[in-house]
Amino acid sequence: MQRLMIADGSDIVRTVGKRILSELGFLVIEADTAREAATRCNAELPNFLIVDAALEGALELIGTIRAMPNGKSIRIFYCVIEADLKKMMAGKRAGADDFLLKPFDRKILTAVFSALAQAA
């Protein structure tokens, strides 16, 4: 089973994301701070990571994950509220692979992650 972490300060976003992604076959781990996400990743790296751009320390978290042993193997999605090119480029420079627009819903998450869940 593919492991996926959602690092987002919003309980609602994490709960909705976890419900949808669990139904797709992911083992979903949650973190409400960058520090908690880094600690959990240090213990066991997920296959995928969704990082909210509004999370305090989001860019540093991405850099920290990339610096970990096998940290380059994680597919990181940087989650932005709007297609803000400056924010997206900062995420890309920090090491994000892809972007998600918030608010996300079942349709968006299914379109992005259903094939990834089946690739296990």
Side-chain angles (χ1 to χ4, degrees):
M1 181 176 278
Q2 299 269 13
R3 292 171 44 85
L4 183 146
M5 178 183 290
I6 301 172
D8 194 300
S10 168
D11 292 339
I12 294 169
V13 169
R14 289 193 321 273
T15 300
V16 169
K18 183 175 184 171
R19 182 178 302 128
I20 295 166
L21 293 163
S22 293
E23 290 171 8
L24 292 175
F26 287 97
L27 173 63
V28 180
I29 302 106
E30 301 177 53
D32 66 351
T33 66
R35 172 176 270 159
E36 180 184 2
T39 300
R40 288 176 175 244
C41 285
N42 208 20
E44 186 173 1
L45 286 173
N47 303 96
F48 303 96
L49 174 62
I50 298 173
V51 179
D52 181 26
L55 187 70
E56 187 176 330
L59 296 174
E60 293 81 3
L61 171 62
I62 294 170
T64 298
I65 301 302
R66 289 295 186 216
M68 290 179 177
N70 298 320
K72 299 212 184 310
S73 67
I74 299 172
R75 189 153 172 199
I76 299 176
F77 292 83
Y78 194 54
C79 203
V80 295
I81 292 176
E82 58 185 310
D84 178 339
L85 191 57
K86 187 182 281 188
K87 219 175 235 187
M88 293 170 81
M89 290 310 298
K92 192 74 166 165
R93 279 192 300 277
D97 297 299
D98 288 301
F99 303 94
L100 283 175
L101 287 178
K102 277 175 87 174
F104 47 69
D105 58 15
R106 182 174 302 279
K107 184 178 178 183
I108 291 168
L109 290 179
T110 300
V112 172
F113 289 101
S114 61
L116 298 174
Q118 295 168 6

